[in-house]
Amino acid sequence: MRMNGGHALVKALEDVGVEVVFGYPGGVALPIFDALYDSTSIRTILPRHEQGAVHMADGYARVTGRAAAVIVTSGPGATNTVTGIANAYMDSIPMVVFTAQVATPVIGTDAFQESDITGITLPITKHNYLVKDANDLPEVIAEAFHIATTGRPGPVLVDVPADVSKTEITYKWPVTVNLPGYKPTYKGHAKQIKQAADLIAKARKPLLYAGGGILASEAWKELKELAELMQIPVATTLMGKGAFPEDHHLYMGMPGMHGPKYVNYALTETDLLIAVGVRFDDRVTGKLSAFATKAKVIHADIDPAEIGKNKPVDVPIVGDAKGVLASLTAELRKSAAEPRTDAWMKVVDDWRARFPLHYDRESGALMPQLVVERIRELTKDRPTVYCTEVGQNQMFACQYLRLREPRTWASSGGLGTMGFGLPAAIGAQVARPDYLVIDVAGDGSIQMNSQEMATAAIEKLPVKVVILNNGFLGMVRQWQELFYERRYASSVLDQNCPDFVKLADAYGWHGSRVTSVGELDAALQAAFDHPGPALVDCRVVGEENVFPMVAPGGSIDEMLGGLPGGPVSDMMDDGAVTEVWE
Amino acid sequence: MKMQHTLSVLVENKPGVLTRVTSLFARRGFNIDSLAVGVTEDPTLSRITIVVGGEDTSLEQVAKQLHKLINVLKIQDLDPKEMVDRELVLFKINAPADRRHEIIEIANVFRAKIVDVGRNTLTIEATGASDKLSAMEDLLRTYGIKELARTGKIALSRGLRDGA
């Protein structure tokens, strides 16, 4: 079939199975957009900023596991995608970003709207391409999606010069993907699996530490089977939230800086840390030399570079979480291993009872945690995707929401990108039209991409934004309060500016304001029941902190705030807990 | 432990691959001491030989990251005892007629070749391992080195290992 490069690009997207493009046009991208205009199988969503487009593709991928395409123009269109790409790279989220480029003869001449986007994105993409021959397009696109979605997923960028998208070629499909330098290891080494299974069978105080890799490899069933078979408590990271049912008796919560105390105590006391699809991020480990020092460590990950990167490992397993967990369970069944964690679970449950998450429920003030708890209660019977911005809103959401199924959570983990939540919610809503999609936002973050309210309105995507409006950059203010003598440099916003209800009105959204506890449920319910997009501006107390908290660089069992309770060594000595397993 | 490593990296012979490889070292604060790139017996592949010093653990991390590059096929951290390595140097030496004889003698001792003779200069081509070439450079310095060009190190593992 003869067609130009632009049409070939769109045809290849159709053939690879792409159902949605988040795209913002411009001069040299026009041949591609002209071809998109004819596509019947691809829905094209026009964001209001290229950064929004990338976060939308990101949100879409987090709830589906599939890669969407982003298409933008050259120069500023391309550079505006950089934050979104870096965000996806840090969190291992698959997507393919197409950037138009100036024509090949003028590349390198500082032509109008030229930028070296393959150079710029080199360290933040899994791979990238500059296509110089239109005949290469089908193959490059097939490769790009293959690379983005296999192994450790991630963003791939394809730069398409204007003359390439105008050149006539003979389109051929299917194409063979031949990447001799790219062979991810899926199957864990049998000897290592056996060794890990032996350790698990013997462990008296094991702990599963599960992350985004569980979601990427769809290993939630296998995780649950292993945990239940051996009765091992499960801590899920921010990226792994939803990988394990959060109403399960073995569910622990998020480890690290703002994790509940009992999770960090368990991490400090465990004798076998079974880390799967995680990367021992500093927000989890705190001071590395004090992290899980009593434990042998099993670390399974599809990316060999993650194993031993931060924490020395006793049993390294390179492989995908799904296969590795299934093999571990099979190996343990074969040897008829029995759980030996009764005593350990008693200790853990005791910690859980004594050190629950805690905030002031008595004052009657509108607390941010209460807002999140009410969101949880009001959505408990509705299929819901929860998105967050970054900062206090994100930590409160992670602490107080209870996920019931995997892939219903979208939060910027590694990069911590303010402004992620709303466009991610829009992308998630595109993928999950039947779900309620809620962005738990802060008054700072929401203003970083609030232009996407137009996208939601025009594309009829009924997302809900609940703003925990405290008039501050809350997390910055919290650090200034704790570590900078309350000198609130550049962290003071104004609860009244903008008037979010009027902003909602301006975009044709349903808007409401909550200033007291009494108004909260009705406003949230009305927003959730509204057929279109809706915003709730919750005027929460100004100077609430996210507790408990590990001071930066501190040991994770020494936490600020929350219910009284010192380092775990004190917990073990105070008589309340006896070391029954010794 | 900190020591020098010779990494032999087999890559696809495509534009931009060298940048991908070297920028990984730069990003992690490694200084590349020597670098040589050339096409292999298969014209679709190039071999990049990198000499780099650093902590073993952080270098291991860089090697793992290198492996993740789609265009990288194979990485060997060559064992100094089990590799053959060579560099090539061109020296342009001050060589007034009365001293030429000495210089040629030095070249002969090092099995180097005179590749250009000027009115007041000699240009010598020498190949060998790094320390040999450095020793030769020291000797020639007394005559005055006008210009010097030195390639990066290239290396292959010894044949005994391949046969196994």
Side-chain angles (χ1 to χ4, degrees):
Chain A
M1 227 183 329
R2 295 290 289 175
M3 61 182 76
N4 73 19
H7 278 88
L9 191 158
V10 172
K11 183 78 174 61
L13 292 184
E14 291 173 351
D15 284 339
V16 97
V18 167
E19 51 192 21
V20 57
V21 164
F22 301 96
Y24 204 110
V28 289
L30 287 178
I32 305 169
F33 278 84
D34 190 59
L36 268 180
Y37 197 65
D38 292 330
S39 178
T40 49
S41 65
I42 295 178
R43 178 176 182 186
T44 305
I45 306 249
L46 173 68
R48 289 300 181 271
H49 189 292
E50 289 90 348
Q51 185 188 348
V54 185
H55 291 327
M56 286 174 200
D58 189 319
Y60 173 93
R62 283 179 207 243
V63 300
T64 61
R66 297 195 298 272
V70 172
I71 305 180
V72 300
T73 194
S74 64
T79 55
N80 276 346
T81 64
V82 168
T83 300
I85 293 172
N87 187 76
Y89 185 69
M90 285 286 266
D91 287 351
S92 307
I93 302 299
M95 64 174 64
V96 179
V97 178
F98 293 88
T99 50
Q101 180 58 281
V102 298
T104 46
V106 295
I107 287 179
T109 66
D110 300 333
F112 178 64
Q113 291 195 329
E114 179 184 0
S115 69
D116 172 14
I117 197 63
T118 49
I120 292 169
T121 58
L122 207 65
I124 54 166
T125 48
K126 189 170 169 189
H127 194 53
N128 65 25
Y129 294 88
L130 168 62
V131 182
K132 296 180 95 172
D133 181 344
N135 289 296
D136 295 342
L137 274 170
E139 197 179 302
V140 165
I141 292 167
E143 282 182 12
F145 278 89
H146 176 73
I147 292 169
T149 53
T150 53
R152 179 180 181 169
V156 175
L157 182 138
V158 181
D159 201 18
V160 186
D163 52 330
V164 168
S165 53
K166 285 184 201 152
T167 305
E168 282 261 315
I169 62 159
T170 303
Y171 181 81
K172 287 196 202 95
W173 195 271
V175 291
T176 44
V177 172
N178 178 27
L179 296 163
Y182 179 68
K183 303 252 182 321
T185 307
Y186 283 88
K187 198 170 154 19
H189 194 281
K191 205 181 96 200
Q192 308 291 87
I193 298 273
K194 175 86 178 63
Q195 217 179 330
D198 287 350
L199 286 179
I200 295 171
K202 277 194 289 215
R204 307 300 300 265
K205 301 185 278 177
L207 180 69
L208 273 155
Y209 159 36
I214 305 288
L215 296 168
S217 71
E218 306 190 340
W220 42 82
K221 197 176 117 263
E222 288 77 6
L223 175 65
K224 188 155 166 271
E225 274 175 16
L226 176 62
E228 286 178 344
L229 176 70
M230 299 307 290
Q231 290 295 305
I232 305 169
V234 182
T236 52
T237 66
L238 181 79
M239 286 304 301
K241 194 170 170 67
F244 194 76
E246 302 191 351
D247 52 2
H248 197 286
H249 74 282
L250 293 169
Y251 172 70
M252 294 291 285
M254 173 172 69
M257 186 173 274
H258 290 296
K261 283 190 172 179
Y262 51 85
V263 182
N264 287 344
Y265 288 164
L267 266 167
T268 306
E269 206 49 38
T270 179
D271 64 355
L272 180 66
L273 188 61
I274 310 157
V276 187
V278 293
R279 57 186 181 87
F280 293 83
D281 182 81
D282 57 85
R283 283 295 186 269
V284 168
T285 63
K287 193 205 284 176
L288 255 176
S289 57
F291 179 74
T293 48
K294 299 176 183 171
K296 292 231 185 241
V297 179
I298 298 168
H299 189 187
D301 202 281
I302 197 156
D303 180 356
E306 285 304 338
I307 294 177
K309 183 179 83 174
N310 294 337
K311 170 93 184 161
V313 173
D314 297 287
V315 184
I317 306 175
V318 179
D320 87 318
K322 195 180 180 74
V324 168
L325 287 169
S327 319
L328 283 174
T329 303
E331 189 66 40
L332 287 159
R333 285 219 173 96
K334 203 169 78 186
S335 61
E338 300 265 351
R340 309 174 67 188
T341 59
D342 269 6
W344 173 231
M345 284 311 297
K346 278 203 191 81
V347 174
V348 168
D349 287 339
D350 176 68
W351 283 335
R352 211 197 306 252
R354 288 161 66 205
F355 308 106
L357 291 170
H358 163 80
Y359 67 92
D360 179 4
R361 292 165 202 269
E362 274 69 55
S363 69
L366 187 59
M367 304 298 282
Q369 298 95 326
L370 176 71
V371 175
V372 177
E373 279 191 329
R374 295 316 298 161
I375 293 173
R376 176 180 87 203
E377 288 308 307
L378 294 172
T379 57
K380 70 168 184 246
D381 299 318
R382 293 174 77 160
T384 307
V385 172
Y386 304 95
C387 305
T388 76
E389 300 291 343
V390 162
Q392 287 189 328
N393 60 80
Q394 178 184 32
M395 291 299 113
F396 288 137
C398 198
Q399 288 181 333
Y400 288 92
L401 291 175
R402 286 291 167 268
L403 270 59
R404 302 169 303 269
E405 56 171 324
R407 290 202 174 137
T408 53
W409 169 253
S411 190
S412 166
L415 198 67
T417 310
M418 288 173 71
F420 170 80
L422 172 59
I426 290 172
Q429 187 81 74
V430 170
R432 294 272 175 273
D434 304 335
Y435 276 58
L436 185 62
V437 179
I438 301 171
D439 175 31
V440 178
D443 49 321
S445 284
I446 193 66
Q447 293 185 62
M448 283 214 182
N449 271 318
S450 59
Q451 77 285 348
E452 302 305 341
M453 291 174 74
T455 312
I458 289 164
E459 295 287 344
K460 305 212 178 321
L461 297 163
V463 297
K464 317 299 174 190
V465 173
V466 180
I467 304 177
L468 308 178
N469 183 352
N470 55 14
F472 286 101
L473 297 175
M475 191 59 90
V476 175
R477 188 210 56 75
Q478 174 170 342
W479 282 49
Q480 289 170 330
E481 176 188 330
L482 297 173
F483 312 118
Y484 291 87
E485 295 147 2
R486 286 182 174 253
R487 290 154 53 84
Y488 293 161
S490 300
S491 59
V492 184
L493 305 176
D494 181 338
Q495 278 185 312
N496 296 304
C497 183
D499 180 327
F500 286 110
V501 177
K502 282 188 180 159
L503 189 70
D505 195 41
Y507 282 113
W509 284 39
H510 178 278
S512 61
R513 177 164 296 128
V514 174
T515 55
S516 67
V517 175
E519 302 164 329
L520 181 61
D521 276 19
L524 290 175
Q525 193 64 57
F528 299 162
D529 291 341
H530 181 69
L535 177 153
V536 185
D537 175 19
C538 300
R539 300 292 178 91
V540 298
V541 298
E543 300 189 43
E544 177 61 349
N545 290 328
V546 180
F547 282 135
M549 178 182 190
V550 178
S555 164
I556 60 165
D557 69 328
E558 293 171 21
M559 303 188 79
L560 312 170
L563 291 176
V568 72
S569 49
D570 299 353
M571 293 300 100
M572 306 305 293
D573 292 336
D574 70 356
V577 177
T578 41
E579 297 201 43
V580 277
W581 48 76
E582 294 296 8
Chain B
M1 202 178 72
K2 205 173 166 130
M3 63 175 285
Q4 273 222 329
H5 290 258
T6 304
L7 300 179
S8 178
V9 186
L10 196 63
V11 302
E12 291 182 89
N13 182 10
K14 285 182 176 172
V17 175
L18 181 63
T19 310
R20 288 176 200 276
V21 169
T22 52
S23 70
L24 256 182
F25 286 87
R27 225 178 297 152
R28 279 157 207 271
F30 284 97
N31 184 37
I32 291 177
D33 296 323
S34 145
L35 177 76
V37 195
V39 167
T40 65
E41 75 283 1
D42 175 347
T44 66
L45 302 180
S46 295
R47 185 178 301 281
I48 304 178
T49 310
I50 302 168
V51 180
V52 62
E55 294 292 329
D56 284 358
T57 46
S58 45
L59 196 72
E60 184 190 328
Q61 179 60 211
V62 177
K64 282 176 167 180
Q65 297 290 343
L66 269 183
H67 243 302
K68 288 169 67 174
L69 296 177
I70 308 289
N71 306 117
V72 171
L73 272 66
K74 191 177 173 190
I75 303 164
Q76 289 172 279
D77 186 350
L78 294 173
D79 180 343
K81 291 193 289 288
E82 304 207 16
M83 69 175 182
V84 189
D85 63 306
R86 289 293 179 270
E87 286 172 40
L88 185 148
V89 191
L90 294 173
F91 301 97
K92 191 187 281 178
I93 310 291
N94 269 328
D98 58 328
R99 304 201 71 176
R100 270 189 198 175
H101 193 70
E102 297 167 40
I103 294 169
I104 291 169
E105 207 146 279
I106 290 173
N108 286 339
V109 168
F110 284 92
R111 293 187 200 160
K113 280 193 289 190
I114 310 295
V115 290
D116 185 62
V117 182
R119 205 179 297 269
N120 290 305
T121 61
L122 280 175
T123 302
I124 304 172
E125 170 202 312
T127 58
S130 281
D131 47 353
K132 168 184 149 181
L133 298 179
S134 299
M136 186 172 173
E137 184 183 332
D138 270 351
L139 282 174
L140 291 172
R141 205 175 286 282
T142 47
Y143 304 95
I145 299 173
K146 288 177 75 74
E147 282 182 281
L148 183 154
R150 187 164 181 164
T151 65
K153 179 199 281 190
I154 55 169
L156 290 176
S157 60
R158 286 187 183 276
L160 265 179
R161 299 194 55 189
D162 303 335

